Structures are given as structure tokens and as C-alpha cells.
Amino acid sequence: MELTGAEILIRCLQEEKVEYVFGYPGGAVLFLYDALFQQDDIRHVLVRHEQAAVHAADGFARSTGKVGVALVTSGPGATNAVTGIATAYYDSIPLVVISGQVATAFIGQDAFQEVDTVGVTRPCVKHNFLVRDVRDLAATLKKAFYLAASGRPGPVVVDIPKDVSMTPCEFEYPKDISMRSYNPVIRGHQGQIKKAVQLLLGARRPMIYAGGGVVLSEAAEELTRLARRLGAPVSATLMGLGGYPASDRQYLGMPGMHGTYEANMAMHYSDVLLAIGARFDDRVIGNVDHFASEERRIIHVDVDPASISKRVKVDIPIVGNVRDVLEQMLQQIESGPRAEQADTTVWWQRIEGWRDRKCLDYKPSGELIKPQFVIQKLWEVTGGEAIVASDVGQHQMWAAQYYRFDKPRRWLNSGGLGTMGVGLPYAMGAQLAHPDAPVACVTGEGSIQMNIQELSTCRQFRLPIKICLLNNRYLGMVRQWQQMFHGQRYSGSYMDSLPDFVKLAESYGHIGIRVEKPGDVEGALREAFTTRKNDLVFLDFQIDRSENVYPMVPGGKGLTEMILPSEDL
């Protein structure tokens, strides 16, 4: 059977069971769009900006575990997509981004809307391809989906010149793929696992530090079983939230710059630290020298060998898929000879003392809406069952601190790159993937304006997202740092001339509600999630402008050098 390159692309996507393609058309991809139009299996979601296309595909992938797919044209279409690609790269999200390219004869000739997409994206992709021959297209797409989803997931770019999309050839989609230079390790080394188990059972001050790898590898159940078997405290990073139930007593909260007092102190003073699918990010451990000042043994489990001992030297490295390694650990603990476990009673007494500091308490106000209160009410109204997409800033940290995630893939945020503007597109991708689920976008007035044009996409596709804008009329996290470390010189952080968000939402055909009093917060949320269940509702919460995120580890400081909220609560 002979098909054009464009038809081959569609057949490949169908073979991969792709449900949605998020994209924006242009000259170099018109043949691809024509082939997309002539089928019914794959639904195209027309966004209003290519950056949003990749973010929406990313949100779909984060909420489902499937590979997200975006389609953009050449030149500015591809460059607009780079921020979304980099965002997915730093958080290890599986994407296939298909970009159009000028015809092969014009590559390198400074043709209209030409850009070296392979060169531009090389630093922020797992891999990329320029398909110069239509006969290579099917095999290339098979490789792209395999690379994106296996090992440490990530975005893969496939750049398709216009003439390749027009040229016919025989179509055959490979059943299997084998790449000699790429063979990710799945199961951990049994000897290393045995050492790790012995060390954990002998620990008097054990600590489990769980990262995004737990969520990506679907290992939440195995992590929970291991933690309960060991009786060890658990801390989950920003990317790992939901990987361990936040309602469980063994859970200490998030570690790091805005982590809880008890999580940071337990991380620092543990004698055996089990790091699972985490990378000792600078926002998690703070000052590396300070972190190394306390003697401890470290076990590090990660599918990516390059992440192990990259920032912190570890004692027992274990390379493998997180879920498989945890299953191996559990099997060794449960089926091996019953080993005597060290007594952790004193350790837990110490942890409860740190927990008694109640570092997330805040002073309520009868007049001003506290952002923490909004997130707590959001959790109550949704019963903790919502998918929460967040932008980046103070609101992101408040959502991470006060919405208690008991299940994975319900918290979508940009962790590694910290990209403002992801919240609404993430929510779009998640809502399409889970049409019956409540989906909330927690955002700030700075972030929401970066992709606010996607309110149009939401209208076209009838997406009933609930936008919770924590509006303090500042770039809040910038203002907080300027207040604390730059002599209260608020350079460029004040958001002057803000739009009327209620009228703006209404102009797109949605429901807008402004909330100015604490007593109205719960009622507005209930109206959004019940009465207006099938509508997009834009909730503009006018919050306390002076509120800061605490606890906070200042840049360059260690985990024990936290700034806590005032003691006169």
C-alpha cells in the first residue's frame, strides 16, 4: 500500500493509539493537516499558541502516563514550541512533538519560515530527528514513541520537511524496535538491592525521599508498601506529590526551599536516606556542603545513571525503573529470612517534636482572604479528588503545601524549568483526558496572562475547568524575594493595569466571579464545582497582598536554616 508521508504519519499515530493531537497549522504542515482532516480516530485540538500546544500535550501526558503529541509548523511554530519542550524535558515527561520543515532542497537556504529545529531543540530533548526520506518516516516515528516513553521519559522531536509529507511510498509500521545504542536498565542489581535492604533495616533514623520518578513509573503502591513495612517517614518533592498519600501519618510533607520544618529536619538528620526517583535538586537540598555536613548513608534509586551522584555522592547506587526496584526490595524483605529491624521509637519522637512546630499554620483574617485558606477550601470542596494544574510562583507553593494529594497524577506543575503560563494548558490536556473529573487551575495574575488566549480553546472544546486566580496584584514570588533580600525595592514586580478578569472571562463566553471576602470563598467554590459544573468558571480571589510563602530556605542556605512564619500566630 502506497501512502503519502502525511498519510503515513497519521497511520503511525493510529498504530500508537494516539487520542489527541494538540496543534496549530501553518504552511509546512498543511499536508499533515489535510491527512488529519480525512480521518476520525484522532481528535485535533486547535490551540491559540504553539507553546500552549506542547503544554497541553504535556498536561495530557502528566495526568495519564501516556505519550502526549503536539503538531506545529516550521520556523516560528517550532521556536514557539521550545519552551514547552524544555518544560517537559526538565520534568521527564513523554512527548512526541512533530514539527514541519521547509522542503529538503531549501534546508540551509534561509527559506521562508525556516529554522534549524534539530539544532535549536538539541539541548532540551531526549532525542530529535530530521526525516529527509519518506521511507524512513514510519520507523522514525516508532523510535520516537519508544524513546519518549521508555527509560527516563522525555520529549522527542520529529522534524518533517514539506516534500517528505507529500511524497508517496510503501507503508509498513514496525512491530518492534531495537536500538543498539539505547538499552535502558529496568531491574536493579540484586547485590545492590540486598545491601540497600540491610542498610534500611538497620537504620535508627531512616528517611525516604521520593521524587517524580515514583509518579512516572506508577510506583505509588510499592512505595507505600515499603514505607509502611519499614515504618519510615516519607517526604515527596514537588514532582513527587501524590506518590505517597499526604493523609498518612508517616508523610512529613514536601522537602526543600518551601518544604515543611519536619521534612527538612528529618532529611538532614537521618542516618540512612533512601532517595527514589529524585535528583537532589538545588531547590530540595539547598546548600550541598551544608547537606553533606551531617554524616549519613545514602541509597539512590534512579532509571537514569547520569542522575546518580551528580550533585550528592551516594553510597549505594541502584540503576533501574523505580517500580521494578521497589518490587525487588519488597520481595527481598518479605520473602527473605526475617531480619531484626532497628528501633525507630526515639527517631519518631524527635520527628513529632519537629511536627509540633506547625510550620504551615498562618494567621487568619476576618477582612482579607488568605491564599492558604483558598487552597484548603478548594481541597475540602473537591474532597481531595480534583486534578490540580498549577502555574509557577507563590500560588504554586501554596497549592503544593495545602492541597493534600493522596493519589498520583493529580498534581500538574512545572518543577524543573519553572515555566509561567503552563497552568491553563495543563488543565486543558488533563480535562480532555479525564472529561468527568473536576479540574482546577491554580494561578496568579502574572502567570495566567501568559497563555490566557487559551480561554478561546476552552470555549471551542467546552472544557469546564475551574480557574482559581490568587490575585495579589504582584508577581508574588518576585516581590517576596525583593522584600526579603533586596531592601524592599520592588523593581518590575508590581502588576499595574491589570484587566478585569471577570469581564475578560465573560468576553470569551465563560463565567467570571470576583471574590473579595473570606466568608465568600467556600460559597464561590461550591458554586463553581456544583452549580456551574459544566462551565468554565474563572474565580478571581482578591487575596492579602502582603502574604509570603513559609517556611523558606533562602538561596545558598542549608535545610536547617529555614525562615519560619512569625511565632505570634
Side-chain angles (χ1 to χ4, degrees):
M1 183 191 303
E2 277 207 342
L3 300 174
T4 66
E7 292 167 334
I8 287 171
L9 170 68
I10 300 304
R11 287 290 298 274
C12 293
L13 297 182
Q14 290 170 337
E15 290 285 342
E16 293 292 338
K17 303 293 189 292
V18 171
E19 301 165 77
Y20 293 97
V21 170
F22 301 86
Y24 201 94
V29 290
L30 286 182
F31 286 94
L32 304 181
Y33 267 85
D34 192 46
L36 194 57
F37 182 82
Q38 297 182 57
Q39 57 80 52
D40 297 317
D41 295 332
I42 301 165
R43 189 178 182 191
H44 177 261
V45 179
L46 175 67
V47 296
R48 278 31 176 190
H49 192 286
E50 291 90 351
Q51 179 179 334
V54 184
H55 288 328
D58 184 337
F60 177 89
R62 288 177 195 249
S63 66
T64 63
K66 301 175 183 178
V67 177
V69 180
L71 173 59
V72 299
T73 194
S74 63
T79 56
N80 282 346
V82 171
T83 298
I85 294 167
T87 301
Y89 177 72
Y90 279 102
D91 289 346
S92 304
I93 305 303
L95 295 183
V96 170
V97 179
I98 300 156
S99 57
Q101 184 55 274
V102 299
T104 52
F106 292 99
I107 293 175
Q109 302 297 312
D110 296 330
F112 176 67
Q113 290 194 334
E114 180 193 0
V115 73
D116 179 8
T117 302
V118 167
V120 167
T121 61
R122 185 173 288 120
C124 58
V125 293
K126 187 173 180 180
H127 198 69
N128 55 20
F129 300 92
L130 171 60
V131 184
R132 290 180 174 269
D133 191 325
V134 69
R135 291 170 294 184
D136 298 328
L137 182 56
T140 299
L141 284 161
K142 183 71 174 180
K143 289 177 183 177
F145 277 89
Y146 172 62
L147 286 167
S150 60
R152 179 177 179 177
V156 178
V157 169
V158 181
D159 200 30
I160 304 176
K162 188 171 185 176
D163 58 317
V164 171
S165 69
M166 299 163 53
T167 305
C169 81
E170 293 283 333
F171 170 70
E172 183 180 354
Y173 198 58
K175 289 183 172 60
D176 301 299
I177 200 74
S178 176
M179 302 178 69
R180 186 171 58 184
S181 60
Y182 178 74
N183 292 291
V185 176
I186 302 301
R187 292 181 63 79
H189 187 279
Q190 201 62 38
Q192 294 293 87
I193 289 172
K194 184 177 181 180
K195 289 179 189 176
V197 168
Q198 289 173 342
L199 198 58
L200 286 165
L201 292 175
R204 294 186 178 278
R205 302 190 306 278
M207 178 69 181
I208 297 175
Y209 154 47
V214 172
V215 175
L216 293 170
S217 66
E218 312 290 354
E221 182 182 338
E222 289 75 15
L223 172 62
T224 303
R225 282 172 54 204
L226 180 66
R228 288 175 178 166
R229 172 61 183 81
L230 295 172
V234 181
S235 180
T237 67
L238 192 66
M239 296 305 302
L241 295 179
Y244 188 87
S247 59
D248 192 89
R249 187 64 181 171
Q250 286 175 231
Y251 183 66
L252 304 188
M254 188 171 65
M257 179 169 282
H258 295 296
T260 65
Y261 184 75
E262 54 267 31
N264 282 346
M265 296 298 280
M267 277 271 285
H268 190 74
Y269 290 109
S270 60
D271 63 352
V272 175
L273 178 63
L274 173 59
I276 308 172
R279 57 190 177 89
F280 292 94
D281 180 77
D282 57 295
R283 289 295 176 105
V284 171
I285 65 166
N287 184 289
V288 174
D289 293 334
H290 182 276
F291 185 74
S293 65
E294 192 71 21
E295 189 175 341
R296 68 176 73 79
R297 304 290 297 279
I298 299 177
I299 305 159
H300 193 176
V301 179
D302 205 292
V303 74
D304 181 8
S307 293
I308 297 180
S309 289
K310 186 175 184 178
R311 298 195 72 241
V312 172
K313 189 177 184 302
V314 305
D315 300 280
I316 303 178
I318 302 175
V319 178
N321 182 55
V322 166
R323 183 176 181 179
D324 291 87
V325 172
L326 290 179
E327 285 177 346
Q328 288 176 272
M329 284 185 168
L330 285 162
Q331 186 178 16
Q332 195 163 120
I333 292 172
E334 293 167 356
S335 64
R338 184 74 178 179
E340 185 176 346
Q341 191 170 346
D343 186 0
T344 59
T345 304
V346 174
W347 177 230
W348 272 107
Q349 289 173 349
R350 197 173 178 189
I351 289 170
E352 293 303 334
W354 291 327
R355 191 176 251 156
D356 285 343
R357 294 290 295 270
K358 301 187 184 304
C359 67
L360 294 181
D361 280 3
Y362 59 94
K363 185 182 291 186
S365 170
E367 300 296 324
L368 300 173
I369 298 175
K370 294 292 183 178
Q372 304 94 322
F373 178 73
V374 175
I375 302 300
Q376 287 176 325
K377 287 299 176 184
L378 175 64
W379 179 78
E380 288 179 19
V381 167
T382 61
E385 295 294 321
I387 297 172
V388 179
S390 164
D391 268 302
V392 171
Q394 286 181 316
H395 57 272
Q396 175 190 25
M397 295 299 111
W398 285 317
Q401 291 173 329
Y402 293 93
Y403 198 101
R404 294 158 59 187
F405 296 95
D406 279 344
K407 297 176 183 177
R409 299 198 180 279
R410 294 190 175 180
W411 166 242
L412 317 177
N413 82 118
S414 171
L417 197 62
T419 306
M420 294 173 68
V422 299
L424 183 54
Y426 277 0
M428 288 160 43
Q431 189 74 80
L432 284 163
H434 307 275
D436 297 324
V439 177
C441 170
V442 176
T443 186
E445 69 286 348
S447 285
I448 191 63
Q449 293 188 86
M450 290 199 169
N451 271 312
I452 201 163
Q453 75 284 339
E454 297 310 314
L455 287 174
S456 177
T457 306
C458 293
R459 178 64 177 171
Q460 180 177 348
F461 292 92
R462 300 294 189 267
L463 302 179
I465 296 162
K466 314 308 176 193
I467 298 172
C468 299
L469 171 62
L470 302 184
N471 190 345
N472 60 7
R473 283 80 79 201
Y474 275 108
L475 296 178
M477 192 60 82
V478 173
R479 180 204 57 77
Q480 178 170 336
W481 279 65
Q482 289 173 335
Q483 174 188 330
M484 299 173 76
F485 309 116
H486 296 275
Q488 300 183 24
R489 294 181 293 277
Y490 301 120
S491 175
S493 57
Y494 177 62
M495 295 295 287
D496 201 1
S497 302
L498 287 173
D500 183 326
F501 288 106
V502 170
K503 290 182 179 179
L504 185 58
E506 290 172 347
S507 74
Y508 278 104
H510 302 302
I511 305 299
I513 301 174
R514 182 178 291 106
V515 186
E516 299 177 317
K517 297 179 180 179
D520 296 334
V521 170
E522 184 174 345
L525 286 167
R526 292 200 181 278
E527 179 181 352
F529 283 95
T530 54
T531 309
R532 299 289 186 176
K533 182 179 180 180
N534 297 320
D535 298 315
L536 186 148
V537 182
F538 195 119
L539 296 149
D540 181 6
F541 293 101
Q542 302 287 311
I543 66 167
D544 184 350
R545 300 179 66 182
S546 65
E547 196 70 16
N548 288 331
V549 180
Y550 293 110
M552 180 179 181
V553 178
K557 297 293 185 180
L559 288 182
T560 63
E561 301 174 296
M562 287 166 278
I563 300 174
L564 298 177
S566 58
E567 300 294 335
D568 59 341
L569 297 176

